[in-house]
Amino acid sequence: VSADDAILVHDVPNTSGRYERNLSFKSKILEGSLSLLWYPFEMFRAVMNYDNEPPRAKPYIVIGVGEYHFNPQALYHGSWVDLQPLHTEGEGFTETGIPNYTLTQFNELFGAGLMYEAGPRTTFRLEMTYRKLNTDYLDDVHGRYVDPTLFPKYLSGVLLQEALALSNRSLPGWQYAKPGDIRGLPSKDGYFTFTFKYGYILGRNKIQ
């Protein structure tokens, strides 16, 4: 996943300061999940005791839980830098009282899809799934700009240099990027996935 405030250049001055904020990120996501598929029309067929051959196209609903790992990064002098160790909003600092976030968390899955039985044991699926996250730091943006004088108390060397540069990337002259000003709106993150799946069913009687 990725995002970049710079793409809003054609919408200035109607970006509510997001273009001037000038933040960007990317993150790879690795996930393991357990999902339950529910075919509502198949349940209806069972209740009505339909004996005819079931349709090959079957809509379904998917719900589940997952554990995922993410790692937001920003581009700095031509290299991608991990943002979580930089505490860009003062996460983990005593003065802010904001806990640091973990990179491995649990999520919830909700979605819908359509399965098509193309042959005796071959299936295809189109599926759209929404992941509801329990963090607002998927992009390393959550609340307010932190006082930059706090960074030297907790960081040093390269990490300090990167934190000072990447915690406030607002464009020159932008007046709403002082300590305490809003950097992002606090709300839980989430994202959609659109997938195409191929399946081969073992040990099943052939469809006529």
Side-chain angles (χ1 to χ4, degrees):
V1 294
S2 63
D4 192 337
D5 288 341
I7 66 173
L8 300 172
V9 61
H10 299 296
D11 299 322
V12 177
N14 300 314
T15 64
S16 302
R18 287 191 299 155
Y19 171 72
E20 293 83 356
R21 182 181 64 171
N22 194 37
L23 294 178
S24 61
F25 90 105
K26 76 169 185 176
S27 177
K28 293 181 179 179
I29 300 176
L30 178 65
E31 178 193 79
S33 62
L34 180 64
S35 301
L36 174 66
L37 304 185
W38 177 49
Y39 296 85
F41 290 105
E42 290 302 296
M43 184 182 70
F44 176 77
R45 285 175 52 83
V47 171
M48 299 301 294
N49 292 319
Y50 284 170
D51 294 327
N52 57 311
E53 187 72 24
R56 296 195 178 193
K58 302 176 183 179
Y60 63 89
I61 296 171
V62 56
I63 58 174
V65 294
E67 184 177 18
Y68 70 102
H69 178 82
F70 68 106
N71 184 28
Q73 297 178 312
L75 192 62
Y76 180 63
H77 290 330
S79 300
W80 288 98
V81 175
D82 295 344
L83 292 171
Q84 191 253 17
L86 304 182
H87 309 268
T88 55
E89 293 185 359
E91 306 96 332
F93 293 0
T94 302
E95 292 83 354
T96 65
I98 303 172
N100 203 7
Y101 61 92
T102 60
L103 298 178
T104 300
Q105 302 191 19
F106 290 97
N107 61 14
E108 302 168 28
L109 292 70
F110 310 92
L114 179 68
M115 181 184 74
Y116 179 74
E117 297 183 344
R121 295 173 180 168
T122 302
T123 65
F124 297 97
R125 298 175 188 267
L126 287 174
E127 184 176 299
M128 179 183 72
T129 307
Y130 175 70
R131 264 78 171 176
K132 179 182 178 182
L133 309 184
N134 293 309
T135 183
D136 189 31
Y137 287 100
L138 185 66
D139 54 1
D140 192 65
V141 180
H142 168 71
R144 298 180 180 272
Y145 289 96
V146 65
D147 185 349
T149 63
L150 295 178
F151 288 117
K153 296 181 60 176
Y154 298 91
L155 303 172
S156 61
V158 174
L159 288 180
L160 174 59
Q161 177 185 349
E162 293 173 345
L164 290 171
L166 296 176
S167 61
N168 187 345
R169 288 173 265 167
S170 58
L171 297 179
W174 179 238
Q175 58 180 325
Y176 298 109
K178 302 181 298 297
D181 286 347
I182 294 176
R183 189 170 184 261
L185 298 178
S187 61
K188 297 296 177 65
D189 288 327
Y191 61 93
F192 286 93
T193 58
F194 298 88
T195 55
F196 174 77
K197 302 180 180 181
Y198 167 80
Y200 185 81
I201 303 173
L202 301 175
R204 178 189 182 187
N205 293 330
K206 290 186 177 182
I207 299 175
Q208 300 298 323

